[in-house]
Amino acid sequence: MRKIDMIVVHCSGSRCNHPYTVEQLRHDHVEVNGWFDIGYHYYITREGKVHECRPVERMGAHARGANANSIGICYEGGLDANGCIADTRTAAQKDAMFWLIINLHRRFPDIKVILGHRDLPGVQKACPCFDATKLQPLLEV
Ligand SMILES: [Zn+2]
């Protein structure tokens, strides 16, 4: 089993008024990028459903330099209706994300850090379009 000590949060970079389903995500990662599966371990769609994408035992493909020891969680959204960067998480998505993190921490007590993709060194993106370091207290629950 690989060592997991970090959660990296992402957004899909899609507009909140345009659905981006897990099927579309899979198509883009497998057919377009040529990966064997979705790069994230979990994908949370707007209605708050958590889709298990890649088994956590397997390394993800979501955060250059941090894949080996992290779990990648992505939520659907990140852009408002005009295509501007925004925290578009619905209440259901926030709730699902909180519970997912708490459960992952129970399963992997070595998790010490939660951050957003943009908080990793050398990342020029706005992903996940909110301050994911604010989720850090969930590890103290
Ligand atoms: Zn990202």
Side-chain angles (χ1 to χ4, degrees), residues 9-11 40 62 117-118 125 127-128:
V9 182
H10 299 264
C11 64
Y40 312 113
H62 57 93
H117 191 184
R118 68 182 187 190
K125 299 169 152 191
C127 176

PDB file of all heavy atoms in Angstrom, residues 9-11 40 62 117-118 125 127-128, ligand 1:
ATOM      1  N   VAL A   9      -7.340  19.016  -3.497  1.00  0.00           N
ATOM      2  CA  VAL A   9      -8.689  19.303  -3.987  1.00  0.00           C
ATOM      3  C   VAL A   9      -8.595  20.025  -5.335  1.00  0.00           C
ATOM      4  O   VAL A   9      -7.751  20.916  -5.528  1.00  0.00           O
ATOM      5  CB  VAL A   9      -9.467  20.164  -2.969  1.00  0.00           C
ATOM      6  CG1 VAL A   9     -10.888  20.432  -3.460  1.00  0.00           C
ATOM      7  CG2 VAL A   9      -9.498  19.472  -1.606  1.00  0.00           C
ATOM      8  N   HIS A  10      -9.493  19.630  -6.240  1.00  0.00           N
ATOM      9  CA  HIS A  10      -9.540  20.208  -7.592  1.00  0.00           C
ATOM     10  C   HIS A  10     -10.970  20.621  -7.926  1.00  0.00           C
ATOM     11  O   HIS A  10     -11.923  20.164  -7.288  1.00  0.00           O
ATOM     12  CB  HIS A  10      -9.134  19.160  -8.632  1.00  0.00           C
ATOM     13  CG  HIS A  10      -7.754  18.633  -8.481  1.00  0.00           C
ATOM     14  ND1 HIS A  10      -6.686  19.132  -9.187  1.00  0.00           N
ATOM     15  CD2 HIS A  10      -7.262  17.646  -7.697  1.00  0.00           C
ATOM     16  CE1 HIS A  10      -5.595  18.445  -8.854  1.00  0.00           C
ATOM     17  NE2 HIS A  10      -5.914  17.549  -7.954  1.00  0.00           N
ATOM     18  N   CYS A  11     -11.081  21.427  -8.993  1.00  0.00           N
ATOM     19  CA  CYS A  11     -12.390  21.650  -9.606  1.00  0.00           C
ATOM     20  C   CYS A  11     -12.295  21.153 -11.049  1.00  0.00           C
ATOM     21  O   CYS A  11     -11.206  21.029 -11.598  1.00  0.00           O
ATOM     22  CB  CYS A  11     -12.779  23.125  -9.567  1.00  0.00           C
ATOM     23  SG  CYS A  11     -11.698  24.204 -10.524  1.00  0.00           S
ATOM     24  N   TYR A  40      -8.458  11.624 -11.050  1.00  0.00           N
ATOM     25  CA  TYR A  40      -8.822  11.862  -9.643  1.00  0.00           C
ATOM     26  C   TYR A  40      -9.319  10.567  -9.016  1.00  0.00           C
ATOM     27  O   TYR A  40      -9.810   9.679  -9.704  1.00  0.00           O
ATOM     28  CB  TYR A  40      -9.953  12.888  -9.542  1.00  0.00           C
ATOM     29  CG  TYR A  40      -9.759  14.131 -10.356  1.00  0.00           C
ATOM     30  CD1 TYR A  40     -10.595  14.406 -11.439  1.00  0.00           C
ATOM     31  CD2 TYR A  40      -8.756  15.045 -10.047  1.00  0.00           C
ATOM     32  CE1 TYR A  40     -10.437  15.567 -12.196  1.00  0.00           C
ATOM     33  CE2 TYR A  40      -8.590  16.197 -10.798  1.00  0.00           C
ATOM     34  CZ  TYR A  40      -9.430  16.456 -11.871  1.00  0.00           C
ATOM     35  OH  TYR A  40      -9.268  17.588 -12.611  1.00  0.00           O
ATOM     36  N   HIS A  62      -3.204  13.755 -11.001  1.00  0.00           N
ATOM     37  CA  HIS A  62      -3.938  15.007 -10.807  1.00  0.00           C
ATOM     38  C   HIS A  62      -3.051  16.140 -10.304  1.00  0.00           C
ATOM     39  O   HIS A  62      -3.440  17.301 -10.396  1.00  0.00           O
ATOM     40  CB  HIS A  62      -5.101  14.795  -9.838  1.00  0.00           C
ATOM     41  CG  HIS A  62      -4.687  14.254  -8.497  1.00  0.00           C
ATOM     42  ND1 HIS A  62      -4.407  15.086  -7.439  1.00  0.00           N
ATOM     43  CD2 HIS A  62      -4.457  12.988  -8.063  1.00  0.00           C
ATOM     44  CE1 HIS A  62      -4.045  14.328  -6.401  1.00  0.00           C
ATOM     45  NE2 HIS A  62      -4.065  13.064  -6.750  1.00  0.00           N
ATOM     46  N   HIS A 117      -5.107  22.361  -5.503  1.00  0.00           N
ATOM     47  CA  HIS A 117      -4.139  22.188  -6.588  1.00  0.00           C
ATOM     48  C   HIS A 117      -3.237  23.427  -6.699  1.00  0.00           C
ATOM     49  O   HIS A 117      -2.035  23.326  -6.818  1.00  0.00           O
ATOM     50  CB  HIS A 117      -4.943  21.979  -7.885  1.00  0.00           C
ATOM     51  CG  HIS A 117      -4.135  21.524  -9.043  1.00  0.00           C
ATOM     52  ND1 HIS A 117      -4.674  21.375 -10.295  1.00  0.00           N
ATOM     53  CD2 HIS A 117      -2.825  21.186  -9.154  1.00  0.00           C
ATOM     54  CE1 HIS A 117      -3.719  20.960 -11.123  1.00  0.00           C
ATOM     55  NE2 HIS A 117      -2.598  20.846 -10.457  1.00  0.00           N
ATOM     56  N   ARG A 118      -3.854  24.610  -6.588  1.00  0.00           N
ATOM     57  CA  ARG A 118      -3.110  25.870  -6.772  1.00  0.00           C
ATOM     58  C   ARG A 118      -2.084  26.103  -5.666  1.00  0.00           C
ATOM     59  O   ARG A 118      -1.192  26.955  -5.814  1.00  0.00           O
ATOM     60  CB  ARG A 118      -4.084  27.051  -6.800  1.00  0.00           C
ATOM     61  CG  ARG A 118      -4.763  27.303  -5.463  1.00  0.00           C
ATOM     62  CD  ARG A 118      -5.758  28.451  -5.558  1.00  0.00           C
ATOM     63  NE  ARG A 118      -6.270  28.780  -4.225  1.00  0.00           N
ATOM     64  CZ  ARG A 118      -7.283  29.610  -4.017  1.00  0.00           C
ATOM     65  NH1 ARG A 118      -7.903  30.170  -5.039  1.00  0.00           N
ATOM     66  NH2 ARG A 118      -7.678  29.875  -2.785  1.00  0.00           N
ATOM     67  N   LYS A 125      -2.475  27.556 -11.979  1.00  0.00           N
ATOM     68  CA  LYS A 125      -3.925  27.530 -12.159  1.00  0.00           C
ATOM     69  C   LYS A 125      -4.636  28.098 -10.936  1.00  0.00           C
ATOM     70  O   LYS A 125      -4.047  28.186  -9.860  1.00  0.00           O
ATOM     71  CB  LYS A 125      -4.390  26.078 -12.320  1.00  0.00           C
ATOM     72  CG  LYS A 125      -3.798  25.370 -13.500  1.00  0.00           C
ATOM     73  CD  LYS A 125      -4.126  23.892 -13.384  1.00  0.00           C
ATOM     74  CE  LYS A 125      -4.190  23.265 -14.772  1.00  0.00           C
ATOM     75  NZ  LYS A 125      -4.755  21.918 -14.715  1.00  0.00           N
ATOM     76  N   CYS A 127      -7.325  26.520  -9.841  1.00  0.00           N
ATOM     77  CA  CYS A 127      -7.940  25.288  -9.317  1.00  0.00           C
ATOM     78  C   CYS A 127      -7.595  25.102  -7.834  1.00  0.00           C
ATOM     79  O   CYS A 127      -6.421  25.157  -7.481  1.00  0.00           O
ATOM     80  CB  CYS A 127      -7.423  24.109 -10.143  1.00  0.00           C
ATOM     81  SG  CYS A 127      -7.975  22.505  -9.575  1.00  0.00           S
ATOM     82  N   PRO A 128      -8.521  24.865  -6.940  1.00  0.00           N
ATOM     83  CA  PRO A 128      -9.956  24.562  -7.151  1.00  0.00           C
ATOM     84  C   PRO A 128     -10.888  25.766  -6.999  1.00  0.00           C
ATOM     85  O   PRO A 128     -12.071  25.570  -6.732  1.00  0.00           O
ATOM     86  CB  PRO A 128     -10.219  23.549  -6.046  1.00  0.00           C
ATOM     87  CG  PRO A 128      -9.363  24.036  -4.909  1.00  0.00           C
ATOM     88  CD  PRO A 128      -8.145  24.653  -5.534  1.00  0.00           C
TER      89      PRO A 128
HETATM   90 ZN    ZN B   1      -6.637  20.825 -10.430  1.00  0.00          ZN
END
